[in-house]
Amino acid sequence: PARYFDTKTTEPISFFLSGLEELLSWQPNSNDEFNISAVPLAKRQPLLRSRRPRTLVCHDMRGGYLEDRFIQGSATRNPYVFYHWRYIDIFVYFSHHTVTIPPVVWTNAAHRNGVSVLGTFITEWTDGEKLCEAFLAGGEEAYGAVARQLARIAQHYRFDGWLVNIENTLSAAAVGNLAPFLRELTAQVHSAVPGGLVIWYDSVLQDGSLRWQNELNEQNRVYFDACDGLFTNYNWKEEQLQNTRRLAGPRHADVYVGVDVFARGDVVGGGFDTDKSLRLIRQQNLSAAIFAPGWVYEHLGEENFLQNENRFWGLLADYLPTHSICTLPLATSFSLGMGTSRFLDGKDEETGPWYDLSVQEIQPLYPEYQGRLTTSCCLQDAWCGGSSLRLQGTIPPGEESVAVRLFSLQMPAPPKLFLTLLYKLESPQPDDFTVALEVTTWDSGTCLEGNPTSLPEPNGRHYPRFLPAPPPGLAKLLAACHHNSYGWTSRCYELMLQDCSLRDLSVIVSRQEPSPQETSFTCLLGEIRVLDTSSVAASPPQVQNVTASQLWWQ
């Protein structure tokens, strides 16, 4: 069927639903198994329900369902990717179809990085009025059926809820049932989807008129009270933020103040001035909804996209609280889920463009330090996948090393950790530098490294012990430790800790010899792994009863 498979290539594709009839007649179907997310939502800290202001990204690009609809990837040159997951909480996939089911590749990538994904339920124009009249004015049975279907769809495809956007006027009968519908949808989503969310877009008022308020006020509060949050329109002024903060009270983090990166209408700042909007939003301790950050790709073009993307998010970093990983193992090759080649064990196995967000790996922080260091993606060389992480910077005169914080962690440390690192130095004299890992722990009087007689580390910095070869029993898993191929250097370490809590994982680039001069370096990171020894030593369960379906030979 054309809904599930591309008519030209027969490949499975992601899809949307148009109109009320398609929504109400939707049933799970064996053809759409490809669309079910295979990646559970990773745990992270702080939790989504904490009071800390959040960041929502609303992805709206050229109508949606572009190359990202190909579930098993495509040969797309210079595609759009998003990878600053550590800085955001919620990802909304937006289009103007009635029921926007997020393409599964986005759900997989976001979930792997601990980010919740919402689809969009939208009605607009005259058709929207008719649709709303049919299900809202129809009473409890009619709107209850819509709420149940939307919750079932999120549960079936394993995404996390809905943005609801009613952008048309409503009759008195319809508007009377709008808040009850939102309450019912929210209850259904909460019961069907663990951690599920329903967010309302600032549009229709309680009298049924369509008037964007750009704030939370008495005219739209009834909808805020009926669901998990309000996404405001974009043309707000500072005074409206203050009003919103007052009215929201303890739920201030549930108001997502809209920021249109295209800066349409009368807005504070978009484009590379988006930080001006975020500064004002954060002063009021409110959450932010960044709409259409694909501006970087659409407006500035595909050519220097990765460079421009890092610049865009780098300018916002001061206003985007980051998230910590709180489970092990942590393993990543930093691949973006796209590339100009496919690499395996450092070797370019297949040259040619590819794009598949489902195989995007866990993404790090992308720190920049006042011109002394930049972190970016390198497509020209990788250990595994399509890209590696490039660290470029200088070691100042008189200093021995520079530390690059890649991940913030928040979990109790197991008694023994194994760590692996694969890197390649591209500096003019690579032998002048060494590269190593540093683990920091939260300050605690009880935290000890190694044996019980050792003293607590000052400021909780630990340098794992280098292992010339992997320990027996783990040799197969840690094969990287003793192989040096295509210019990549591999290192294996162990770290024993007692009563500690992990805080940060950093890479340290050091000079071999002290120098009065500033020294520049470029280092590619191909892979990092942090493993809890006790869980690695156990052999994995055998796979049983494998079945293959949906076979199509060409």
Side-chain angles (χ1 to χ4, degrees):
R3 176 189 283 176
Y4 304 105
F5 300 98
D6 183 64
T7 46
K8 291 197 193 79
T9 65
T10 75
E11 291 169 290
I13 51 173
S14 292
F15 60 87
F16 49 86
L17 302 175
S18 300
L20 199 55
E21 201 178 315
E22 281 193 14
L23 168 61
L24 292 173
S25 63
W26 174 87
Q27 288 294 342
N29 174 319
S30 63
N31 282 319
D32 68 14
E33 285 171 6
F34 288 112
N35 275 289
I36 297 171
S37 171
V39 182
L41 180 59
K43 292 187 171 71
R44 58 179 355 198
Q45 288 288 348
L47 300 169
L48 195 53
R49 57 176 177 272
S50 81
R51 290 275 173 88
R52 186 176 88 166
R54 306 174 200 119
T55 306
L56 175 153
V57 158
C58 191
H59 173 64
D60 172 28
M61 185 175 280
R62 299 172 186 162
Y65 301 95
L66 307 173
E67 289 78 10
D68 53 6
R69 74 186 187 279
F70 290 103
I71 295 169
Q72 295 171 337
S74 63
T76 304
R77 198 176 293 280
N78 300 328
Y80 175 75
V81 288
F82 178 82
Y83 49 94
H84 285 80
W85 299 109
R86 296 277 132 239
Y87 302 85
I88 77 165
D89 299 83
I90 299 167
F91 180 88
V92 178
Y93 194 87
F94 183 89
S95 83
H96 289 275
H97 303 289
T98 312
V99 179
T100 298
I101 299 168
V104 66
V105 296
W106 281 107
T107 307
N108 287 339
H111 278 186
R112 187 170 289 121
N113 287 281
V115 171
S116 298
V117 177
L118 306 186
T120 307
F121 176 57
I122 190 171
T123 68
E124 47 193 349
W125 313 108
T126 3
D127 286 348
E129 282 179 44
K130 289 178 194 156
L131 195 149
C132 290
E133 197 62 23
F135 88 92
L136 285 173
E140 195 175 338
E141 198 175 316
Y143 70 70
V146 169
R148 279 192 300 281
Q149 282 294 78
L150 289 171
R152 283 179 71 208
I153 288 170
Q155 180 186 43
H156 179 70
Y157 296 115
R158 298 186 190 158
F159 60 95
D160 307 292
W162 295 97
L163 171 69
V164 178
N165 187 356
I166 306 289
E167 295 216 56
N168 45 256
T169 52
L170 295 177
S171 69
V175 80
N177 283 325
L178 183 52
F181 162 67
L182 270 183
R183 272 194 294 276
E184 178 64 17
L185 174 61
T186 306
Q188 292 280 352
V189 167
H190 288 184
S191 121
V193 179
L197 285 174
V198 173
I199 293 176
W200 168 256
Y201 181 71
D202 158 27
S203 50
V204 172
L205 305 182
Q206 57 186 8
D207 64 1
S209 63
L210 176 62
R211 294 207 308 277
W212 298 272
Q213 297 299 290
N214 305 297
E215 65 176 351
L216 172 65
N217 60 28
E218 291 302 344
Q219 300 189 78
N220 59 17
R221 182 183 184 162
V222 58
Y223 307 124
F224 177 61
D225 292 342
C227 68
D228 296 306
L230 168 76
F231 177 151
T232 78
N233 192 46
Y234 313 102
N235 306 116
W236 44 266
K237 295 285 168 274
E238 197 170 356
E239 189 187 341
Q240 290 171 301
L241 298 183
Q242 292 161 356
N243 299 342
T244 297
R245 176 73 181 89
R246 264 196 307 278
L247 194 58
R251 285 189 68 199
H252 58 91
D254 293 338
V255 180
Y256 301 84
V257 179
V259 179
D260 179 4
V261 180
F262 278 84
R264 289 163 282 211
D266 180 11
V267 300
V268 172
F272 287 127
D273 290 329
T274 299
D275 58 317
K276 292 176 179 167
S277 296
L278 281 185
R279 191 180 79 244
L280 296 177
I281 293 167
R282 297 309 194 204
Q283 278 170 3
Q284 299 302 327
N285 225 5
L286 298 167
S287 292
I290 301 174
F291 183 76
W295 170 85
V296 176
Y297 183 84
E298 293 188 66
H299 180 72
L300 301 173
E302 302 167 5
E303 279 313 297
N304 297 314
F305 166 61
L306 295 176
Q307 209 177 328
N308 290 328
E309 182 77 343
N310 286 348
R311 181 184 166 205
F312 176 81
W313 290 100
L315 289 167
L316 304 183
D318 287 350
Y319 306 107
L320 302 176
T322 60
H323 295 81
S324 307
I325 286 176
C326 58
T327 51
L328 292 180
L330 164 58
T332 181
S333 68
F334 306 103
S335 178
L336 294 179
M338 53 87 72
T340 49
S341 284
R342 287 178 190 267
F343 293 86
L344 185 60
D345 294 345
K347 181 178 179 227
D348 182 345
E349 292 272 345
E350 193 184 341
T351 304
W354 65 276
Y355 176 48
D356 183 358
L357 286 171
S358 279
V359 299
Q360 186 185 81
E361 299 252 343
I362 292 173
Q363 292 299 308
L365 297 163
Y366 281 84
E368 305 231 346
Y369 306 124
Q370 305 98 34
R372 275 179 48 188
L373 176 91
T374 59
T375 322
S376 58
C377 314
C378 170
L379 299 175
Q380 292 74 40
D381 199 354
W383 174 253
C384 179
S387 53
S388 55
L389 190 68
R390 182 190 282 120
L391 312 178
Q392 227 164 350
T394 53
I395 301 176
E399 289 186 25
E400 286 177 23
S401 62
V402 60
V404 186
R405 188 171 77 112
L406 295 179
F407 292 99
S408 94
L409 309 168
Q410 198 171 335
M411 62 188 118
K416 190 172 177 184
L417 288 169
F418 281 126
L419 303 97
T420 65
L421 169 67
L422 270 148
Y423 68 90
K424 183 186 275 196
L425 280 161
E426 288 197 321
S427 309
Q429 282 88 29
D431 297 343
D432 292 355
F433 298 95
T434 58
V435 182
L437 290 174
E438 176 189 84
V439 174
T440 57
T441 51
W442 291 93
D443 281 340
S444 137
T446 61
C447 174
L448 300 173
E449 182 180 328
N451 56 40
T453 56
S454 66
L455 294 168
E457 276 294 318
N459 56 16
R461 294 181 185 284
H462 307 273
Y463 302 97
R465 185 171 76 86
F466 172 64
L467 300 173
L474 289 178
K476 200 166 171 186
L477 180 72
L478 305 183
C481 288
H482 53 112
H483 98 194
N484 192 341
S485 62
Y486 300 96
W488 291 90
T489 303
S490 44
R491 291 278 183 262
C492 222
Y493 307 89
E494 74 175 7
L495 179 61
M496 294 163 90
L497 296 169
Q498 282 190 326
D499 301 324
C500 301
S501 190
L502 300 178
R503 182 178 185 165
D504 286 315
L505 176 66
S506 303
V507 165
I508 310 285
V509 181
S510 313
R511 284 197 262 240
Q512 298 275 28
E513 302 290 329
S515 162
Q517 263 87 44
E518 177 176 276
T519 320
S520 300
F521 65 87
T522 301
C523 174
L524 300 183
L525 298 184
E527 185 183 70
I528 282 185
R529 292 188 284 186
V530 183
L531 312 168
D532 173 354
T533 320
S534 60
S535 63
V536 203
S539 57
Q542 292 296 305
V543 176
Q544 292 172 330
N545 305 328
V546 175
T547 60
S549 62
Q550 307 273 12
L551 298 182
W552 185 286
W553 295 100
Q554 293 198 112

